[in-house]
Amino acid sequence: MHRLCAIVHSEVTACTSVLVRAQFHYLYSLASECMTGEGDMTTYDDDVAAVNFDHNDDSVVVIIGSGAGGGTVAHELSEKGISVVVIEAGPRLKLTDFVNDEYDAYDMFTWTDKRTSTGNGEIARKWADSPSWVCKLVGGSTVHWAGLALRWNDEEFRARSTYGEVPGTSVTNWPLNLSDLEPYYAKAEDKMGVTGTNGIPHLPETNNFKILNLGARRLGYEKVNTSYMAINSEPRDGRNACDQIGFCMAGCRSGAKWSTLYSEIPKAEATGNMELRANSMALRVEHDPSGKVTGVVYVDEDGNQQLQKARVVVVACNAIESSRILLNSASNVYPDGLSNSSGMVGKNWTRHMTGYAYGIFDKPVNYHRGTNASGLVQDEWHHDDDRGFAGGYLMGTISLGLPYYAAFLRPGGWGREFSQDVEAYNFVSGIFINGEDMPIESNAITLHDTERDQFGMPVPNINVDDHPNDVAMRNHSLKRSSEILLAAGAKRVLECPPMPGSHNMGTCRMSDSESDGVVNKWGQSHDIPNLFIADGSIFSTAGGCNPTLTIVTLAIREAEYIAEQMRTSTI
């Protein structure tokens, strides 16, 4: 039933009749409600009775955020017998809450609290009120992500040494390298079930990938594959195999894609050592006169302000919100915000250089069938001075539902030519470009002087300027992507602008020295030993591939370090 429904869904999604599609989506949702427990449909119990910790219990580790970093640290620590309280701003959903409709999913997942933006960057100009896409729910952006899980190249950890000086940037080396992380990458890949590792088969080839592969091979590219995905190609770890429905970024209704929502968080609860407090908005981190952090002030789901005391605090709520909380926690002891003696909190925001290219073919492609990201070309993912820019990029398949395809094809588009491009949906193959953008201090998260959110917190302002290196890389990658599509037989190619970034990194960068960073190589604050950060904000540079696997890798390593520091009473 489950697989049959998925196949029919794939066919009907391509239908241009709004009435037929609406009727099917209704019937599909009813059928899906009945499928729990059928066949290989096994997921974690969302109703596990969890422990409740007292607000005055100062022995607990308080983690703000439940996504790739926070959810992973919570699970790792709770397995070691450490008491954990996770404070999450958004709701807790179940698989049956997900809908295979990208617009409805956007409304369900997205952090829509007010933000402002400044700067000359294209996304700041075109998406002024939402230059960055962040999810607000248990699981964070692991509910939304496409599932691509790649290890970084070693040269990316040595960006300053590899690229040299890049004028106008603050490119630097990480305080660790690939060899430091390899054992933890292996643990993360096993935890997440990454295809192509640990004997896990790759996902099947889609039509979209076949076109990418054909065009890339004709151009002489060699590193072309169906990628390494944290999406089950076979049942594993209580999660289904992928049904190839094609709504990966709308929440994986089958549970095949790894997410802390239905993996790390329920596993942590099952230890009896972790309490999740959903719909709870963290406002600031408190400290004692010596400067040591002592707890987190938050607004609970009933609208009451609470203080949860803590032995250790881990901030893991995405690069924007983590910076915002640290800045909002300013005090007489820390007038510029917590962990900000370097002045680097909020600065060097990176989100990756992105873009899209669509090829329109004579025969139907039906690129919507299968995972959103089903293959990669990795040949350009390295530094090469001869290309005229620093860093590297990936070219991979992308498929979006018809409404999203139309919305992002040409924002604000109108007229006959635009409508013809939209009507060509079934004949389209898509390539998504993801490359390393350069850190710039002025690309920063700051607190707005006057604007406040519903909790009285200053809203974050995001300054976004495009660096010439980003522009040169985008031009090069769009040209190569277009050439791939044309080599595969496309009759014409559409080059599209970047969407708001969902790879948020760099605003609390790690460093060897406390003078030019926020945390050390363990994610531990340079200024406050019992304060840690565990999300993409601690990235020293952005690298050229999706950040989730590296966030999880660093989180596993960080949790191990926290546990040892607690065991020896160092913190």
Side-chain angles (χ1 to χ4, degrees):
M1 170 76 174
H2 191 72
R3 296 186 183 280
L4 176 61
C5 198
I7 293 169
V8 175
H9 174 272
S10 184
E11 298 298 327
V12 176
T13 299
C15 179
T16 56
S17 167
V18 174
L19 178 60
V20 170
R21 291 183 65 195
Q23 289 174 332
F24 174 77
H25 282 303
Y26 173 70
L27 294 173
Y28 180 81
S29 65
L30 291 180
S32 297
E33 294 285 348
C34 301
M35 290 189 294
T36 303
E38 183 175 306
D40 58 9
M41 183 66 175
T42 57
T43 56
Y44 290 102
D45 182 4
D46 293 328
D47 298 315
V48 173
V51 64
N52 293 306
F53 293 102
D54 189 275
H55 284 96
N56 291 315
D57 186 345
D58 60 4
S59 70
V60 303
V61 174
V62 176
I63 301 174
I64 308 173
S66 61
T72 298
V73 172
H75 178 215
E76 293 292 312
L77 291 180
S78 63
E79 289 283 2
K80 299 177 190 299
I82 296 172
S83 299
V84 175
V85 174
V86 175
I87 296 173
E88 167 57 51
R92 183 176 195 165
L93 302 182
K94 298 182 179 181
L95 293 181
T96 50
D97 293 321
F98 295 158
V99 291
N100 289 330
D101 182 300
E102 289 161 329
Y103 270 106
D104 285 350
Y106 178 90
D107 292 338
M108 189 183 298
F109 299 165
T110 302
W111 192 297
T112 56
D113 298 12
K114 185 171 184 179
R115 287 179 172 153
T116 60
S117 63
T118 51
N120 63 26
E122 189 168 8
I123 60 172
R125 289 182 281 108
K126 293 185 176 179
W127 311 96
D129 59 348
S130 56
S132 174
W133 185 4
V134 177
C135 294
K136 188 178 185 180
L137 75 166
V138 176
S141 295
T142 66
V143 177
H144 152 71
W145 76 309
L148 185 62
L150 292 171
R151 297 187 183 193
W152 277 37
N153 294 323
D154 186 51
E155 69 175 28
E156 293 175 310
F157 292 103
R158 298 177 286 103
R160 180 65 174 81
S161 298
T162 303
Y163 311 156
E165 180 183 0
V166 182
T169 77
S170 52
V171 65
T172 188
N173 292 332
W174 286 55
L176 44 71
N177 54 44
L178 180 60
S179 62
D180 294 322
L181 293 187
E182 282 177 335
Y184 300 96
Y185 267 130
K187 291 179 180 180
E189 289 163 345
D190 182 57
K191 175 190 287 286
M192 301 165 76
V194 177
T195 59
T197 71
N198 298 291
I200 303 170
H202 284 278
L203 290 163
E205 296 183 358
T206 65
N207 286 352
N208 211 15
F209 171 74
K210 290 175 182 177
I211 286 175
L212 177 77
N213 186 47
L214 175 63
R217 299 287 183 186
R218 284 179 174 175
L219 293 181
Y221 285 126
E222 298 177 349
K223 299 177 182 178
V224 189
N225 55 67
T226 56
S227 192
Y228 299 84
M229 306 294 292
I231 299 177
N232 281 352
S233 55
E234 57 188 16
R236 187 179 189 274
D237 196 28
R239 305 197 327 265
N240 284 327
C242 176
D243 287 321
Q244 299 289 304
I245 298 171
F247 285 91
C248 310
M249 293 187 289
C252 181
R253 199 174 165 91
S254 68
K257 182 182 72 176
W258 178 85
S259 170
T260 57
L261 170 64
Y262 42 79
S263 55
E264 308 311 302
I265 293 298
K267 288 179 181 179
E269 285 178 320
T271 68
N273 296 318
M274 193 277 280
E275 178 188 356
L276 172 69
R277 297 177 188 168
N279 294 306
S280 296
M281 178 69 181
L283 304 180
R284 64 184 182 274
V285 179
E286 298 277 83
H287 63 81
D288 64 17
S290 73
K292 183 178 72 172
V293 296
T294 56
V296 175
V297 176
Y298 69 97
V299 177
D300 67 20
E301 60 184 346
D302 296 319
N304 301 313
Q305 191 168 119
Q306 306 284 0
L307 168 62
Q308 174 60 56
K309 293 186 177 180
R311 179 176 174 181
V312 175
V313 173
V314 180
V315 181
C317 41
N318 200 285
I320 296 170
E321 290 303 314
S322 290
S323 301
R324 183 188 183 200
I325 287 173
L326 294 175
L327 293 171
N328 195 54
S329 300
S331 66
N332 290 335
V333 176
Y334 300 113
D336 297 319
L338 295 189
S339 198
N340 199 25
S341 64
S342 65
M344 288 293 156
V345 170
K347 295 182 179 178
N348 300 297
W349 178 59
T350 53
R351 76 280 182 195
H352 280 144
M353 180 286 304
T354 61
Y356 297 82
Y358 290 106
I360 299 178
F361 291 79
D362 288 324
K363 295 181 180 180
V365 175
N366 294 315
Y367 89 144
H368 60 278
R369 297 175 182 168
T371 54
N372 294 140
S374 60
L376 283 177
V377 178
Q378 296 180 231
D379 298 70
E380 301 283 1
W381 183 26
H382 63 94
H383 176 68
D384 182 354
D385 284 324
D386 292 338
R387 293 184 304 195
F389 55 84
Y393 64 85
L394 294 165
M395 295 176 285
T397 59
I398 183 66
S399 63
L400 300 174
L402 180 57
Y404 261 28
Y405 166 74
F408 294 113
L409 178 64
R410 202 174 305 134
W414 191 256
R416 183 180 298 276
E417 182 181 353
F418 176 69
S419 65
Q420 288 174 342
D421 292 341
V422 172
E423 290 169 358
Y425 178 77
N426 286 345
F427 297 81
V428 161
S429 179
I431 294 178
F432 173 69
I433 303 151
N434 191 95
E436 180 172 8
D437 59 328
M438 292 294 109
I440 307 171
E441 281 196 20
S442 62
N443 280 353
I445 314 304
T446 56
L447 300 182
H448 200 283
D449 290 335
T450 59
E451 295 282 353
R452 298 292 185 270
D453 68 8
Q454 65 270 37
F455 303 104
M457 270 183 91
V459 304
N461 182 79
I462 306 171
N463 189 77
V464 190
D465 292 323
D466 284 336
H467 188 272
N469 194 82
D470 305 340
V471 176
M473 183 186 289
R474 182 177 294 122
N475 291 339
H476 186 278
S477 58
L478 283 172
K479 181 175 182 293
R480 297 303 283 164
S481 297
S482 297
E483 290 170 350
I484 287 173
L485 292 165
L486 291 169
K491 59 183 182 181
R492 61 192 180 95
V493 172
L494 311 173
E495 295 183 357
C496 308
M499 291 194 299
S502 58
H503 298 167
N504 295 285
M505 302 163 286
T507 57
C508 299
R509 69 191 333 188
M510 63 166 63
S511 64
D512 278 322
S513 170
E514 62 185 25
S515 65
D516 59 2
V518 178
V519 298
N520 63 19
K521 63 182 180 179
W522 304 104
Q524 182 180 34
S525 166
H526 282 305
D527 302 340
I528 308 171
N530 67 331
L531 175 64
F532 291 77
I533 304 174
D535 55 28
S537 68
I538 66 175
F539 283 27
S540 304
T541 56
C545 69
N546 305 48
T548 304
L549 179 67
T550 301
I551 293 173
V552 174
T553 296
L554 291 169
I556 294 171
R557 184 173 181 268
E558 184 171 318
E560 184 178 277
Y561 178 80
I562 291 172
E564 179 60 17
Q565 294 284 294
M566 293 178 71
R567 187 189 68 80
T568 59
S569 298
T570 307
I571 56 175

